[in-house]
């Protein structure tokens, strides 16, 4: 079975265009991560594969700066709209991962 990047991106864009942004309960992993990270002087968090942003919004309650990345432009757009709706200051940027120039990302 061959991996098809275009189909994957299309799938996730379609998934997030039909997703309910009301369920922003953080994942168990995010809650665990907070308990581990609070003991350190962390000033910002980068979430890769942010999806609907539920963990990003949770992290924002602990740190001022959270960078949410997702390959799906629809997911990033949804996070931006939710941030606007709840009155959260934000800066949205969607960029294809390949354009970041990270070795090993095609």
């Amino acid at each position: 079975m061959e991996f098809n990047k275009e189909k994957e991106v299309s799938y996730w864009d379609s998934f997030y265009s039909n997703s309910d942004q009301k369920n922003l309960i953080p994942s168990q992993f995010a809650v665990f991560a907070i308990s581990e990270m609070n003991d350190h002087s962390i000033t910002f968090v980068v979430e890769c594969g942010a999806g609907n942003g539920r963990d990003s919004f949770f992290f924002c309650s602990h740190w001022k700066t959270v960078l949410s990345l997702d390959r799906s432009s629809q997911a990033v757009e949804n996070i931006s709209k939710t941030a606007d709706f709840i009155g959260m200051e934000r800066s949205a940027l969607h960029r294809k991962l390949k354009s970041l120039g990270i070795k090993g990302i095609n």
Side-chain angles (χ1 to χ4, degrees):
M1 186 167 144
E2 189 174 322
F3 178 72
N4 185 313
K5 289 184 283 188
E6 289 77 24
K7 282 186 179 180
E8 179 196 7
V9 171
S10 177
Y11 170 82
W12 288 112
D13 282 344
S14 176
F15 178 85
Y16 288 116
S17 69
N18 297 312
S19 72
D20 182 8
Q21 285 297 107
K22 295 180 185 115
N23 179 14
L24 294 178
I25 298 169
S27 69
Q28 289 180 335
F29 176 76
V31 174
F32 167 77
I34 288 284
S35 70
E36 294 295 313
M37 293 188 290
N38 273 336
D39 295 337
H40 306 285
S41 58
I42 295 171
T43 58
F44 67 92
V45 172
V46 177
E47 183 184 12
C48 298
N52 73 348
R54 65 186 186 148
D55 292 345
S56 294
F57 289 112
F58 179 65
F59 293 143
C60 283
S61 67
H62 295 269
W63 294 284
K64 183 177 180 179
T65 304
V66 176
L67 175 61
S68 305
L69 302 173
D70 203 283
R71 190 175 219 173
S72 167
S73 58
Q74 185 64 54
V76 173
E77 183 179 333
N78 289 354
I79 292 170
S80 297
K81 286 179 181 178
T82 301
D84 287 344
F85 179 76
I86 63 176
M88 182 176 287
E89 184 180 336
R90 57 104 183 148
S91 175
L93 172 65
H94 173 73
R95 184 185 300 184
K96 292 187 182 229
L97 291 175
K98 184 177 180 181
S99 69
L100 294 176
I102 300 171
K103 188 175 182 177
I105 296 180
N106 297 323

